[in-house]
Amino acid sequence: MLSEDDPLERTAVVNLNDLKKDLGSKRQVKDRYLLIRARGAQLGQVLKLGQQPHRVGRANDCEIWLSDDGVSRRHATIHFENGVYTIEDTGSANGTFVGGQKIERAVLRDGDLIQFGPQAVFRYSVADEGQEQLLRQLYEASVTDALTGANNREHFDSQLRMELSFARRHGTDLSLVIFDVDHFKRVNDTHGHPVGDEVLVEISKATRRLVRNEDVFARYGGEEFALILRGIALDGARVVGERLRERIAELVVTTDKGPLKVTVSVGCASFASTQDATAETLVQLADKRLYVAKRGGRNRVIADG
């Protein structure tokens, strides 16, 4: 539940209340077909269904990728046929259920609960544009890091796998940029944790001004951040990394001991330039290059080697 004690959550509450008022003043057409995560990881996640088949499972090329235990690699497929959606179990080990009943194939109706294996549960919903927007805002509030406003690590992990699946299906590239604040422990030890927090907030603001709407920006952990860049090759990721490094080097944080400036080290990797690319290998390669940048003197971008 949202709490109005937190500034970010208070903003979300205000925005949602405004949205509800707007929705009340106009009639909406229910033309959005959604799966809404009702149990398991990424609770509240909203997936919009198109007219192409949607494969569901743990395999990297599934349109709806699920990490939950008990979900098969090729668990089920959702089809759009004659104006309705149907779901078909594709030989899963633990079954597909609609409304609590195990199915081989079933027509989906508004409000149906769909369960893949023992844990992954979604609600099928036919919604209008405003309802979809409301659901997405609620979910965004739940996957946002409270300090920096970036996405949290759980959301990053899920989105990276989904974006890799998208890149495979569409024959496009995808890059990952991981960056880390140089000598951050020294900042905390010298100026205190509140100043350290302010540094992270300012870095987050500067990063959000650089990225596109389709990019995913997340706090990966502590003073480490990550960017998922859809449709960007390795050379483009290097350019983004350099712009980011330069912008952060220009930041000035005011402290009681005078102005404070920080730098970041950056590692880049891309789907097309990585053999057998998975989320894990992409992260490992970007992280390896980040530490090459650290060992090479910090405040630099490494995109090869």
Coordinates of all heavy atoms in Angstrom, one line a residue, residues 47-111:
L47 N 1.2 -6.3 -18.5 CA 1.7 -6.7 -19.8 C 0.5 -6.6 -20.8 O -0.6 -7.1 -20.6 CB 2.1 -8.2 -19.8 CG 3.2 -8.6 -18.8 CD1 3.4 -10.1 -18.8 CD2 4.5 -7.8 -19.1
K48 N 0.8 -5.8 -21.9 CA -0.3 -5.6 -22.9 C -0.2 -6.6 -24.0 O 0.9 -6.8 -24.6 CB -0.1 -4.2 -23.4 CG -1.3 -3.8 -24.4 CD -1.1 -2.3 -24.8 CE -2.2 -1.8 -25.7 NZ -2.0 -0.4 -26.1
L49 N -1.3 -7.3 -24.3 CA -1.3 -8.3 -25.3 C -1.6 -7.7 -26.7 O -2.5 -6.9 -26.8 CB -2.4 -9.4 -25.0 CG -2.2 -10.1 -23.7 CD1 -3.4 -11.0 -23.4 CD2 -0.9 -11.0 -23.7
G50 N -0.8 -8.2 -27.7 CA -1.1 -7.8 -29.0 C -1.8 -9.0 -29.7 O -2.2 -9.9 -29.1
Q51 N -1.9 -8.9 -31.1 CA -2.6 -9.9 -31.8 C -1.7 -11.1 -32.2 O -2.2 -12.1 -32.7 CB -3.3 -9.3 -33.0 CG -4.4 -8.4 -32.6 CD -5.2 -7.9 -33.8 OE1 -5.1 -8.4 -34.9 NE2 -6.0 -6.9 -33.6
Q52 N -0.4 -11.0 -32.0 CA 0.6 -12.1 -32.4 C 0.5 -13.1 -31.2 O 0.2 -12.7 -30.1 CB 2.0 -11.5 -32.6 CG 2.7 -11.2 -31.3 CD 2.4 -9.8 -30.7 OE1 1.4 -9.2 -31.2 NE2 3.1 -9.4 -29.7
P53 N 0.9 -14.3 -31.5 CA 1.0 -15.3 -30.4 C 2.0 -14.9 -29.3 O 3.1 -14.3 -29.7 CB 1.5 -16.6 -31.1 CG 1.1 -16.4 -32.5 CD 1.2 -14.9 -32.8
H54 N 1.7 -15.1 -28.1 CA 2.6 -14.8 -27.0 C 3.0 -16.1 -26.3 O 2.2 -16.8 -25.6 CB 1.9 -13.9 -25.9 CG 1.6 -12.5 -26.5 ND1 0.6 -12.3 -27.4 CD2 2.2 -11.3 -26.2 CE1 0.6 -11.0 -27.6 NE2 1.5 -10.4 -26.9
R55 N 4.3 -16.5 -26.4 CA 4.8 -17.7 -25.7 C 5.1 -17.3 -24.3 O 5.7 -16.3 -24.0 CB 6.0 -18.3 -26.5 CG 5.7 -18.8 -27.9 CD 6.9 -19.0 -28.7 NE 7.7 -17.8 -28.9 CZ 8.8 -17.6 -29.6 NH1 9.3 -18.7 -30.1 NH2 9.3 -16.5 -29.8
V56 N 4.8 -18.2 -23.4 CA 5.0 -18.0 -22.0 C 5.9 -19.1 -21.4 O 5.7 -20.3 -21.7 CB 3.6 -18.0 -21.2 CG1 3.9 -17.7 -19.7 CG2 2.6 -17.0 -21.8
G57 N 7.0 -18.7 -20.7 CA 7.9 -19.7 -20.1 C 9.2 -19.1 -19.7 O 9.4 -17.9 -19.7
R58 N 10.1 -20.0 -19.4 CA 11.4 -19.7 -18.9 C 12.5 -19.5 -20.0 O 13.6 -19.0 -19.7 CB 11.9 -20.7 -17.9 CG 11.1 -20.8 -16.6 CD 11.6 -21.9 -15.7 NE 13.0 -21.7 -15.2 CZ 13.3 -21.0 -14.1 NH1 12.3 -20.5 -13.3 NH2 14.5 -20.8 -13.7
A59 N 12.1 -19.9 -21.2 CA 13.1 -19.8 -22.3 C 13.3 -18.4 -22.7 O 12.4 -17.5 -22.6 CB 12.6 -20.6 -23.5
N60 N 14.6 -18.0 -23.1 CA 14.9 -16.7 -23.3 C 14.2 -16.0 -24.5 O 14.1 -14.8 -24.5 CB 16.4 -16.6 -23.6 CG 17.2 -16.8 -22.3 OD1 16.8 -16.4 -21.2 ND2 18.4 -17.4 -22.4
D61 N 13.6 -16.8 -25.4 CA 12.9 -16.3 -26.5 C 11.4 -16.2 -26.3 O 10.7 -15.8 -27.3 CB 13.3 -17.0 -27.8 CG 12.8 -18.5 -27.7 OD1 12.4 -18.9 -26.6 OD2 12.9 -19.2 -28.8
C62 N 10.9 -16.4 -25.2 CA 9.5 -16.3 -24.9 C 9.1 -14.8 -24.8 O 9.8 -14.0 -24.2 CB 9.1 -17.0 -23.6 SG 9.1 -18.8 -23.7
E63 N 8.0 -14.5 -25.4 CA 7.5 -13.1 -25.4 C 7.1 -12.7 -23.9 O 7.3 -11.6 -23.6 CB 6.3 -13.0 -26.3 CG 6.6 -12.9 -27.8 CD 6.8 -14.3 -28.3 OE1 6.6 -15.3 -27.7 OE2 7.4 -14.4 -29.5
I64 N 6.6 -13.7 -23.2 CA 6.3 -13.4 -21.7 C 7.3 -14.3 -21.0 O 7.0 -15.5 -20.8 CB 4.9 -13.7 -21.4 CG1 3.9 -12.8 -22.2 CG2 4.6 -13.5 -19.9 CD1 2.5 -13.0 -22.0
W65 N 8.4 -13.7 -20.5 CA 9.4 -14.5 -19.8 C 9.1 -14.5 -18.3 O 8.9 -13.5 -17.7 CB 10.8 -13.9 -20.1 CG 11.9 -14.6 -19.4 CD1 12.6 -15.7 -19.9 CD2 12.4 -14.4 -18.1 NE1 13.5 -16.1 -19.0 CE2 13.5 -15.4 -17.9 CE3 12.2 -13.5 -17.1 CZ2 14.2 -15.4 -16.7 CZ3 12.9 -13.5 -15.9 CH2 13.9 -14.5 -15.8
L66 N 9.1 -15.7 -17.7 CA 8.8 -15.9 -16.3 C 10.0 -16.6 -15.6 O 10.4 -17.7 -16.2 CB 7.5 -16.7 -16.1 CG 6.3 -16.1 -16.7 CD1 5.1 -17.0 -16.4 CD2 6.0 -14.7 -16.1
S67 N 10.4 -16.1 -14.5 CA 11.5 -16.8 -13.8 C 11.1 -17.7 -12.7 O 11.9 -18.3 -12.0 CB 12.4 -15.7 -13.2 OG 11.7 -14.9 -12.2
D68 N 9.8 -17.8 -12.4 CA 9.2 -18.5 -11.3 C 9.6 -20.0 -11.3 O 9.5 -20.6 -12.4 CB 7.7 -18.3 -11.2 CG 7.3 -16.9 -11.2 OD1 7.4 -16.2 -12.3 OD2 6.9 -16.3 -10.1
D69 N 9.9 -20.5 -10.1 CA 10.1 -22.0 -10.0 C 8.8 -22.7 -10.4 O 7.7 -22.3 -10.1 CB 10.4 -22.3 -8.6 CG 11.8 -21.8 -8.1 OD1 12.6 -21.6 -9.0 OD2 12.0 -21.7 -6.9
G70 N 9.0 -23.8 -11.2 CA 7.8 -24.6 -11.6 C 7.3 -24.2 -12.9 O 6.4 -24.8 -13.5
V71 N 7.8 -23.1 -13.5 CA 7.4 -22.7 -14.9 C 8.3 -23.4 -15.9 O 9.5 -23.4 -15.8 CB 7.4 -21.2 -15.1 CG1 7.2 -20.8 -16.5 CG2 6.4 -20.5 -14.2
S72 N 7.7 -24.0 -16.9 CA 8.5 -24.7 -17.9 C 9.1 -23.8 -18.9 O 8.7 -22.6 -19.0 CB 7.6 -25.7 -18.7 OG 7.1 -26.7 -17.8
R73 N 10.1 -24.3 -19.7 CA 10.7 -23.4 -20.7 C 9.7 -23.0 -21.7 O 9.7 -21.8 -22.2 CB 11.9 -24.2 -21.4 CG 13.1 -24.3 -20.5 CD 14.2 -25.1 -21.2 NE 14.5 -24.5 -22.5 CZ 15.3 -23.4 -22.7 NH1 15.8 -22.8 -21.7 NH2 15.5 -23.0 -24.0
R74 N 8.9 -23.9 -22.2 CA 7.8 -23.6 -23.1 C 6.5 -24.0 -22.4 O 6.0 -25.1 -22.6 CB 7.9 -24.3 -24.4 CG 9.2 -24.1 -25.2 CD 9.1 -22.8 -26.0 NE 10.2 -22.6 -26.9 CZ 11.4 -22.2 -26.6 NH1 11.7 -21.8 -25.4 NH2 12.3 -22.0 -27.6
H75 N 6.0 -23.1 -21.6 CA 4.9 -23.5 -20.7 C 3.5 -23.4 -21.4 O 2.7 -24.3 -21.3 CB 4.9 -22.6 -19.5 CG 4.1 -23.1 -18.3 ND1 4.7 -23.7 -17.2 CD2 2.8 -23.1 -18.1 CE1 3.7 -24.1 -16.4 NE2 2.6 -23.8 -16.9
A76 N 3.2 -22.2 -22.0 CA 1.9 -22.0 -22.6 C 2.0 -21.0 -23.7 O 3.1 -20.3 -23.9 CB 0.9 -21.6 -21.6
T77 N 1.0 -20.9 -24.5 CA 0.9 -19.9 -25.6 C -0.5 -19.2 -25.6 O -1.5 -19.9 -25.4 CB 1.2 -20.5 -27.0 OG1 2.4 -21.1 -27.0 CG2 1.2 -19.4 -28.0
I78 N -0.5 -17.9 -25.7 CA -1.7 -17.1 -25.7 C -1.9 -16.7 -27.2 O -1.0 -16.1 -27.8 CB -1.7 -15.9 -24.8 CG1 -1.5 -16.4 -23.4 CG2 -2.9 -15.0 -25.0 CD1 -1.3 -15.2 -22.4
H79 N -3.1 -17.0 -27.7 CA -3.5 -16.7 -29.1 C -4.6 -15.7 -29.2 O -5.5 -15.7 -28.3 CB -3.9 -18.0 -29.9 CG -2.9 -19.1 -29.9 ND1 -1.9 -19.2 -30.8 CD2 -2.7 -20.2 -29.0 CE1 -1.2 -20.3 -30.6 NE2 -1.6 -20.9 -29.5
F80 N -4.6 -14.9 -30.3 CA -5.7 -14.0 -30.6 C -6.5 -14.6 -31.8 O -5.9 -14.7 -32.8 CB -5.3 -12.6 -30.9 CG -6.4 -11.6 -31.1 CD1 -7.1 -11.1 -30.0 CD2 -6.7 -11.2 -32.4 CE1 -8.2 -10.2 -30.2 CE2 -7.8 -10.3 -32.6 CZ -8.5 -9.8 -31.5
E81 N -7.7 -15.0 -31.6 CA -8.5 -15.7 -32.6 C -9.9 -15.2 -32.6 O -10.6 -15.3 -31.6 CB -8.4 -17.2 -32.4 CG -7.0 -17.8 -32.4 CD -7.0 -19.3 -32.0 OE1 -8.0 -19.7 -31.4 OE2 -6.1 -20.0 -32.3
N82 N -10.4 -14.8 -33.8 CA -11.8 -14.4 -34.0 C -12.2 -13.4 -32.9 O -13.3 -13.5 -32.3 CB -12.7 -15.6 -33.9 CG -12.3 -16.6 -35.0 OD1 -12.0 -16.2 -36.2 ND2 -12.3 -17.9 -34.7
G83 N -11.4 -12.4 -32.6 CA -11.7 -11.4 -31.6 C -11.6 -11.7 -30.2 O -12.0 -10.9 -29.3
V84 N -11.1 -12.9 -29.8 CA -10.9 -13.3 -28.4 C -9.6 -13.9 -28.2 O -8.9 -14.4 -29.2 CB -12.0 -14.3 -28.0 CG1 -13.4 -13.7 -28.1 CG2 -11.9 -15.6 -28.8
Y85 N -9.1 -13.9 -27.0 CA -7.9 -14.5 -26.6 C -8.1 -15.9 -26.1 O -9.0 -16.1 -25.2 CB -7.1 -13.7 -25.6 CG -6.4 -12.5 -26.2 CD1 -7.1 -11.2 -26.2 CD2 -5.2 -12.6 -26.8 CE1 -6.5 -10.1 -26.8 CE2 -4.6 -11.5 -27.4 CZ -5.2 -10.2 -27.4 OH -4.7 -9.2 -28.0
T86 N -7.3 -16.9 -26.5 CA -7.3 -18.2 -25.9 C -5.9 -18.5 -25.4 O -4.9 -18.0 -25.9 CB -7.7 -19.3 -27.0 OG1 -6.8 -19.2 -28.1 CG2 -9.1 -19.0 -27.5
I87 N -5.9 -19.4 -24.4 CA -4.6 -19.8 -23.9 C -4.5 -21.4 -24.0 O -5.5 -22.1 -23.8 CB -4.5 -19.4 -22.4 CG1 -3.1 -19.8 -21.9 CG2 -5.6 -20.0 -21.5 CD1 -2.7 -19.1 -20.6
E88 N -3.3 -21.8 -24.4 CA -3.1 -23.2 -24.6 C -1.9 -23.7 -23.9 O -0.8 -23.1 -23.9 CB -2.8 -23.5 -26.1 CG -2.5 -24.9 -26.5 CD -2.1 -25.0 -28.0 OE1 -1.9 -24.0 -28.6 OE2 -2.0 -26.2 -28.4
D89 N -2.0 -24.7 -23.1 CA -0.9 -25.3 -22.4 C 0.0 -26.1 -23.4 O -0.6 -26.8 -24.3 CB -1.3 -26.3 -21.3 CG -0.1 -26.8 -20.5 OD1 0.2 -26.2 -19.5 OD2 0.4 -27.9 -20.9
T90 N 1.3 -25.9 -23.4 CA 2.2 -26.5 -24.4 C 3.1 -27.6 -23.8 O 4.3 -27.5 -23.9 CB 3.0 -25.4 -25.1 OG1 3.6 -24.6 -24.2 CG2 2.1 -24.6 -26.0
G91 N 2.4 -28.5 -23.1 CA 3.1 -29.6 -22.5 C 3.9 -29.2 -21.3 O 5.0 -29.8 -21.0
S92 N 3.5 -28.3 -20.5 CA 4.2 -27.9 -19.3 C 4.2 -29.0 -18.2 O 3.3 -29.9 -18.2 CB 3.6 -26.6 -18.6 OG 2.3 -27.0 -18.1
A93 N 5.2 -29.0 -17.4 CA 5.4 -30.0 -16.4 C 4.4 -29.8 -15.2 O 3.9 -30.8 -14.7 CB 6.8 -30.0 -15.8
N94 N 4.0 -28.6 -14.9 CA 3.2 -28.3 -13.7 C 1.8 -27.7 -14.1 O 1.1 -27.4 -13.2 CB 3.9 -27.4 -12.8 CG 5.2 -28.1 -12.2 OD1 5.1 -29.2 -11.6 ND2 6.3 -27.5 -12.3
G95 N 1.5 -27.7 -15.3 CA 0.1 -27.3 -15.7 C -0.1 -25.8 -15.8 O 0.6 -25.0 -15.2
T96 N -1.2 -25.5 -16.6 CA -1.7 -24.2 -16.7 C -3.2 -24.2 -16.2 O -3.9 -25.1 -16.6 CB -1.7 -23.7 -18.2 OG1 -0.3 -23.7 -18.7 CG2 -2.2 -22.3 -18.3
F97 N -3.5 -23.2 -15.4 CA -4.8 -23.2 -14.8 C -5.6 -21.9 -15.1 O -4.9 -20.8 -15.1 CB -4.7 -23.4 -13.3 CG -4.0 -24.6 -12.8 CD1 -2.6 -24.7 -12.9 CD2 -4.7 -25.7 -12.4 CE1 -1.9 -25.8 -12.5 CE2 -4.0 -26.9 -12.0 CZ -2.7 -26.9 -12.0
V98 N -6.8 -22.0 -15.4 CA -7.7 -20.8 -15.5 C -8.9 -20.9 -14.6 O -9.6 -21.9 -14.6 CB -8.2 -20.7 -17.0 CG1 -9.1 -19.5 -17.1 CG2 -7.0 -20.5 -18.0
G99 N -9.0 -19.9 -13.7 CA -10.1 -20.0 -12.7 C -10.0 -21.2 -11.8 O -11.0 -21.7 -11.3
G100 N -8.7 -21.6 -11.5 CA -8.5 -22.8 -10.6 C -8.6 -24.1 -11.3 O -8.3 -25.1 -10.7
Q101 N -9.0 -24.2 -12.6 CA -9.1 -25.4 -13.3 C -8.0 -25.6 -14.3 O -7.6 -24.8 -15.0 CB -10.5 -25.4 -14.1 CG -11.7 -25.2 -13.2 CD -11.9 -26.4 -12.2 OE1 -11.8 -27.6 -12.6 NE2 -12.2 -26.1 -11.0
K102 N -7.4 -26.9 -14.2 CA -6.3 -27.2 -15.1 C -6.9 -27.3 -16.5 O -7.9 -27.9 -16.8 CB -5.6 -28.5 -14.7 CG -4.4 -28.8 -15.5 CD -3.7 -30.0 -14.9 CE -2.4 -30.3 -15.7 NZ -1.6 -31.4 -15.1
I103 N -6.2 -26.7 -17.5 CA -6.7 -26.6 -18.9 C -5.7 -27.1 -19.9 O -4.5 -27.1 -19.6 CB -7.2 -25.2 -19.3 CG1 -6.0 -24.2 -19.2 CG2 -8.3 -24.7 -18.4 CD1 -5.3 -23.9 -20.4
E104 N -6.2 -27.6 -21.0 CA -5.3 -27.8 -22.2 C -5.4 -26.6 -23.1 O -4.5 -26.1 -23.7 CB -5.7 -29.1 -22.9 CG -5.5 -30.3 -22.1 CD -4.1 -30.6 -21.8 OE1 -3.2 -30.2 -22.6 OE2 -3.8 -31.1 -20.6
R105 N -6.7 -26.1 -23.2 CA -6.9 -24.9 -24.0 C -8.2 -24.2 -23.5 O -9.2 -24.9 -23.1 CB -7.1 -25.2 -25.5 CG -7.2 -24.0 -26.4 CD -7.3 -24.5 -27.9 NE -7.3 -23.4 -28.8 CZ -6.2 -22.9 -29.4 NH1 -5.0 -23.5 -29.2 NH2 -6.3 -21.9 -30.3
A106 N -8.2 -22.9 -23.4 CA -9.4 -22.2 -22.8 C -9.5 -20.8 -23.4 O -8.5 -20.2 -23.7 CB -9.3 -22.2 -21.3
V107 N -10.8 -20.3 -23.5 CA -11.0 -19.0 -23.9 C -10.9 -18.1 -22.7 O -11.4 -18.4 -21.6 CB -12.4 -18.8 -24.5 CG1 -12.8 -17.3 -24.8 CG2 -12.5 -19.6 -25.8
L108 N -10.2 -16.9 -22.8 CA -10.0 -16.0 -21.7 C -11.2 -15.0 -21.6 O -11.6 -14.5 -22.6 CB -8.7 -15.3 -21.8 CG -7.5 -16.2 -21.6 CD1 -6.2 -15.3 -21.8 CD2 -7.4 -16.9 -20.3
R109 N -11.7 -14.8 -20.4 CA -12.7 -13.8 -20.1 C -12.3 -12.8 -19.1 O -11.5 -13.1 -18.2 CB -14.0 -14.5 -19.6 CG -14.6 -15.5 -20.7 CD -15.8 -16.2 -20.2 NE -16.4 -17.0 -21.3 CZ -16.0 -18.2 -21.7 NH1 -15.0 -18.8 -21.1 NH2 -16.7 -18.8 -22.7
D110 N -12.8 -11.6 -19.2 CA -12.4 -10.5 -18.4 C -12.4 -10.9 -16.9 O -13.5 -11.4 -16.4 CB -13.3 -9.3 -18.6 CG -12.8 -8.0 -17.9 OD1 -11.6 -8.0 -17.5 OD2 -13.6 -7.1 -17.8
G111 N -11.3 -10.8 -16.2 CA -11.3 -11.1 -14.8 C -10.7 -12.5 -14.5 O -10.5 -12.8 -13.3

